[in-house]
């Protein structure tokens, strides 16, 4: 695939810090054009799922290819990523991008799919109250996906200007410091901070559900007793399904353009990673094509 | 309630180490006779649920009285426990013991209810494969409850003689050191050891469920990334329903007599706590009456 645009993800910043011990080309969010491969794919504008499964094992056969124990993961584990002119992706992982979705929206398919994963794992009833912790890129997508699914969302974060993006979309927000002590039946931890888990547990009500979306390089000191005492269910949540993400981009149910902070050419990819780590910066796109 | 027999629980040993900061009479597993209270209860042989709820708050109204934020917990938090001649228990918490259940079985109602709690929280299909980690008192009860519910249980522990109790009941067992690398769709962590959580996560298969039954005074260094990567669901599980526990004791579906290691009189309660902490010792009963 000749890469047009690639996005910097928080996971890239963790990988730089040593998460997964990955050495290779980073980048797992991209949109591009198929330039080599089967004839019916050539020329297609595509996005690609990042887990390269073996397709032959018991896990793959059970429908959990994203969890294939022999998988390689683009830009994360055993496979070079998309901060490059070209990236190699198995045909099985490709999805065509609908015509109405421009490149700078399509490049959000992968993180948006990760937000939709929550709806694959949990039944979220219409009107269900949920709290999304974290106003980073993933938090803003999760809040929108839950809101679009009919849940009553409160998004909590540390940055007024990031929360304002959600406010403009009709989603209620609050500064973390002003969050009341109230506990929630459903909490999504997307703050990407080590202390986020503790905070999230304290904000989940007894018998409630806490969805973990942050992957951190570090292990933290975590007290597990509160999970037992309050009988909290913690649901780890990673990559998700591309079709609902592409559909949400095509219908405009989720707004991604307000999340783009800046674009830099491939030659300045290192700068892109540095800038993405700055407070206040949301999505940094790398122009590869 | 005039206490006849009380049982020492691992939580008592954690409380002695400082868990919950409790100062008061320990003991939350007991059987006894009502000696003061409403006429229709007087003389009844009873066991008692340990969470003393306010009965008036939103949590109580929602049917989660065991999670009442204003609760006192017998022998654990704000209420004296049962290592005593008499213990005060709200009438709402009492359950009559069926005639066929002797005191030394009835005293297991509380921990057995905690094992049944898993079936309240999860649907365990007949034939479902599950791994129970820990051959302490709670692990042996959990393995029996899951086995009786139709699951295919493997119980892993460190003590041949404790595992032998389950073997005699037709439950498959294995020494932890001989456990293969295989991962399980359902794992119950009942080892009561700090490293138990890490081990349990590694033994839970992607998208699998890990039930946490151990409450530990300490917080441990825990890597949360594996929960996210493997999309594991962690279910904290604490106190459970008394009726199915009493029913299992009455019908003999669960065997508790093999779990009794020794009985000591109330005057030797401190010794009872010490002995309960010794390796190889299972339930220590305190004769209070």
């Amino acid at each position: 695939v000749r890469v047009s645009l690639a996005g910097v993800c928080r996971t890239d910043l963790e990988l730089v810090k040593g998460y997964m011990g990955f050495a290779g080309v980073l980048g797992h969010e991209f949109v591009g054009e198929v330039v080599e491969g089967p004839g019916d794919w050539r020329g297609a504008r595509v996005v690609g799922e990042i887990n390269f499964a073996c397709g032959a094992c018991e896990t793959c056969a059970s429908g959990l290819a994203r969890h294939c124990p022999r998988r390689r993961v683009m830009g994360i584990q055993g496979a070079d990523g998309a901060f490059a002119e070209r990236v190699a992706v198995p045909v099985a992982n490709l999805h065509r991008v609908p015509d109405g979705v421009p490149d700078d929206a399509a490049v959000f398919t992968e993180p948006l799919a990760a937000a939709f994963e929550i709806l694959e794992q949990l039944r979220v009833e219409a009107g269900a109250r949920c709290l999304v912790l974290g106003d980073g890129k993933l938090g803003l997508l999760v809040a929108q996906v839950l809101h679009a699914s009919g849940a009553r969302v409160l998004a909590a974060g540390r940055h007024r200007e990031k929360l304002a993006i959600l406010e403009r979309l009709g989603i209620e927000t609050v500064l973390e410091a002003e969050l009341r002590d109230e506990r929630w039946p459903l909490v999504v931890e997307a703050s990407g901070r080590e202390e986020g888990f503790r905070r999230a547990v304290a904000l989940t009500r007894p018998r409630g559900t806490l969805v973990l979306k942050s992957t951190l390089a570090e292990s933290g000191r975590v007290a597990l007793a509160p999970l037992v005492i309050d009988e909290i269910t913690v649901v780890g949540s990673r990559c998700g399904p591309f079709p609902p993400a592409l559909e949400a981009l095509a219908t405009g149910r989720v707004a991604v353009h307000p999340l783009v902070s800046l674009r830099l050419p491939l030659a300045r990819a290192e700068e892109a990673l540095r800038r993405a780590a700055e407070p206040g910066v949301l999505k940094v796109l790398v122009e590869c094509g």
Side-chain angles (χ1 to χ4, degrees), chain A:
Chain A
V1 176
R2 185 169 57 218
V3 182
S4 315
L5 272 181
V8 179
C9 168
R10 208 207 130 81
T11 302
D12 296 318
L13 309 181
E14 292 289 321
L15 289 163
V16 170
K17 287 196 263 172
Y19 175 61
M20 302 293 293
F22 178 64
V25 179
L26 289 172
H28 57 274
E29 304 175 359
F30 75 95
V31 57
E33 186 192 327
V34 176
V35 286
E36 271 180 52
D40 52 338
W41 279 97
R42 236 168 287 160
R45 199 159 61 98
V46 295
V47 289
E49 298 201 39
I50 71 174
N51 298 281
F52 302 170
C54 77
C57 70
E58 202 188 320
T59 305
C60 287
S62 75
L64 294 179
R66 293 199 289 269
H67 289 285
C68 170
R70 284 183 280 178
R71 72 186 177 276
R72 297 177 300 134
V73 188
M74 186 199 310
I76 295 176
Q77 182 184 311
D80 278 336
F83 297 152
E85 287 171 14
R86 294 186 178 199
V87 63
V89 185
V91 169
N93 287 52
L94 297 178
H95 294 261
R96 289 172 204 271
V97 177
D99 286 341
V101 180
D103 281 353
D104 59 357
V107 72
F108 282 89
T109 309
E110 199 279 335
L112 186 54
F116 271 102
E117 177 70 352
I118 297 171
L119 301 182
E120 284 237 319
Q121 295 178 284
L122 299 180
R123 178 207 287 280
V124 178
E125 310 282 351
R129 293 169 60 246
C130 53
L131 174 67
V132 177
L133 291 172
D135 55 9
K137 301 176 282 292
L138 189 54
L140 297 183
L141 294 176
V142 166
Q144 289 191 62
V145 164
L146 291 172
H147 174 74
S149 82
R152 281 167 51 203
V153 175
L154 177 67
R158 295 179 163 192
H159 309 87
R160 278 184 204 282
E161 69 290 358
K162 294 182 182 178
L163 294 174
I165 296 170
L166 297 179
E167 288 281 348
R168 285 193 290 275
L169 298 166
I171 297 169
E172 206 183 330
T173 72
V174 65
L175 283 171
E176 248 189 64
E178 291 165 15
L179 199 54
R180 286 182 302 141
D181 258 354
E182 193 192 356
R183 300 178 73 179
W184 295 71
L186 176 58
V187 174
V188 180
E189 200 316 270
S191 76
R193 292 197 311 276
E194 199 194 302
E195 71 273 23
F197 181 73
R198 257 190 308 280
R199 185 81 200 280
V201 170
L203 286 162
T204 307
R205 87 175 177 203
R207 288 275 189 108
T209 299
L210 165 52
V211 177
L212 269 193
K213 288 293 318 179
S214 306
T215 42
L216 293 169
E218 307 282 310
S219 3
R221 272 207 102 68
V222 169
L224 296 171
L227 299 183
V228 177
I229 293 172
D230 288 335
E231 298 193 311
I232 288 170
T233 294
V234 177
V235 179
S237 179
R238 186 172 48 103
C239 298
F242 272 37
L246 283 167
E247 203 249 331
L249 292 171
T251 58
R253 277 168 73 217
V254 169
V256 294
H257 285 142
L259 273 66
V260 178
S261 291
L262 80 158
R263 298 168 66 127
L264 289 170
L266 181 56
R268 292 164 67 187
E270 282 184 54
E271 184 184 345
L273 285 166
R274 274 199 312 277
R275 295 296 305 277
E278 290 173 6
V281 173
L282 284 166
K283 186 63 77 186
V284 175
L285 297 179
V286 180
E287 297 165 341
C288 303

